[in-house]
Amino acid sequence: MIGYFGPAGTFTHQALLTLTDAESTPLATVARVLDAVRAGEIESGLVPIENSVEGGVSATLDNLAAGTPLVIVAEVLLPVSFVLAVRPGTRAEDVKRILTHPHAYAQTRDWIDQNLPWATVTEGGSTAAAAAAVADPDSTFDGAICARVAADLYGLDCLATDIADNPDAVTRFVLVRRPGELPAPTGADKTTLVAWMHTDHSGALLEILQQFAMRGVNLTRIESRPTKKAFGEYCFSIDAEGHIGEPRMRGTLKGLHRICRAVTFLGSYPRADKVRPKIARGFTDAEYAAAEGWIDDVLGRAPKER
């Protein structure tokens, strides 16, 4: 059983359908999905983690960083396209109150200002829930900003389509499981982790970044997140190119473990876009293997103690 951030008709549900047709169940919040995976109630869960317009999804980043560790085993990239969904017969001038998710509003604010300047927007739990609320004949809301799949699911008309302010917006979703066997390296992988500083001091972030730079590992995302233990205390949520099965990534993680108070490993998994990293000279697997072989040879030729 796979769980996902629901209800049915959300973008997460749409992303799941591109990944698998296995039996699935919607859960009300990101935290509920991840807790259900931890408790063994579901085998895996799909949640949003990053948007190209709004950045990281705080609920996912913070819940992955805390609690019993989980690992990411796959990711999905989904182009985001919104519609204005209304009850049949509703005209544009009738849309006075709109319901949607905060991220959806952030990505359609300009369109709403230009096309429905008289409308007020209320932010809710999900775009699909917004569609369900508008479908109720007694609803106080006239329109929902949601995915087309939600409009179709709840029998709504699409008064406008493709209304995102940024037509190239993409949301990234991750499939998480309890720790176990990791996906094998493909040559086009990501590793996700959280690095916790020992203390807040000058150069603390630089020390962390140096562990990646000195091994030729490129970062695809880094965000500071509050630890929620003290004001001004942060950890760093990081995505990096590469797989823990590769020497350069393995060396990076070892280095982080030496200098950080803690490192939470959140998985190595195939990139959805299948982009392979550009590995600089001196950092390929073959070069690492050659260096290890040279060291073994040097040690083998060292004088033996008598």
Side-chain angles (χ1 to χ4, degrees), residues 6-305:
T10 59
F11 283 101
T12 311
H13 185 204
Q14 189 173 332
L16 180 63
L17 295 177
T18 70
L19 189 64
T20 179
D21 58 0
E23 184 180 2
S24 62
T25 183
L27 295 167
T29 65
V30 167
R32 180 70 187 95
V33 173
L34 299 180
D35 286 344
V37 176
R38 290 182 173 109
E41 298 171 12
I42 53 178
E43 180 183 350
S44 57
L46 190 73
V47 291
I49 193 171
E50 182 183 8
N51 179 268
S52 61
V53 176
E54 289 298 291
V57 178
S58 299
T60 300
L61 297 178
D62 293 346
N63 278 284
L64 283 175
T68 305
L70 297 171
V71 293
I72 300 169
V73 294
E75 68 173 8
V76 177
L77 298 178
L78 183 72
V80 176
S81 178
F82 297 100
V83 302
L84 174 61
V86 299
R87 290 182 292 276
T90 302
R91 301 170 301 172
E93 55 266 33
D94 299 327
V95 180
K96 302 295 196 304
R97 299 191 66 204
I98 297 172
L99 182 63
T100 192
H101 185 271
H103 278 199
Y105 180 40
Q107 295 177 68
T108 57
R109 185 180 287 112
D110 291 346
W111 186 92
I112 294 170
D113 290 344
Q114 293 170 13
N115 294 274
L116 301 171
W118 56 83
T120 60
V121 178
T122 300
E123 298 177 357
S126 75
T127 54
V134 170
D136 183 348
D138 298 323
S139 175
T140 59
F141 296 102
D142 310 304
I145 302 295
C146 61
R148 179 181 285 276
V149 65
D152 294 342
L153 181 63
Y154 292 103
L156 299 175
D157 287 346
C158 294
L159 201 59
T161 60
D162 297 325
I163 65 175
D165 298 334
N166 184 343
D168 299 319
V170 174
T171 297
R172 175 177 163 232
F173 303 83
V174 291
L175 185 69
V176 299
R177 293 179 180 167
R178 292 179 297 281
E181 184 176 355
L182 297 174
T186 66
D189 305 287
K190 283 181 186 173
T191 292
T192 299
L193 60 98
V194 181
W196 308 75
M197 298 183 300
H198 269 292
T199 57
D200 181 15
H201 63 274
S202 176
L205 176 56
L206 178 59
E207 292 172 359
I208 291 174
L209 296 178
Q210 283 176 330
Q211 297 302 317
F212 295 93
M214 66 192 297
R215 296 176 178 87
V217 175
N218 184 47
L219 303 186
T220 59
R221 180 187 61 85
I222 179 168
E223 298 183 50
S224 61
R225 297 299 308 160
T227 64
K228 306 186 189 311
K229 294 182 180 179
F231 182 75
E233 185 177 292
Y234 291 84
C235 58
F236 296 95
S237 178
I238 298 170
D239 291 332
E241 290 182 336
H243 192 285
I244 192 173
E246 298 168 340
R248 62 195 184 95
M249 181 60 73
R250 195 159 53 244
T252 298
L253 293 174
K254 289 178 181 178
L256 290 172
H257 190 271
R258 289 195 303 269
I259 68 167
C260 293
R261 175 165 57 86
V263 178
T264 302
F265 173 72
L266 292 174
S268 290
Y269 49 93
R271 291 182 61 147
D273 56 15
K274 296 181 172 57
V275 173
R276 291 177 174 267
K278 296 179 181 178
I279 303 176
R281 182 174 56 84
F283 298 107
T284 66
D285 289 2
E287 287 164 325
Y288 268 96
E292 287 292 339
W294 176 74
I295 287 292
D296 290 342
D297 185 54
V298 169
L299 292 175
R301 289 187 281 109
K304 299 294 191 296
E305 292 186 5

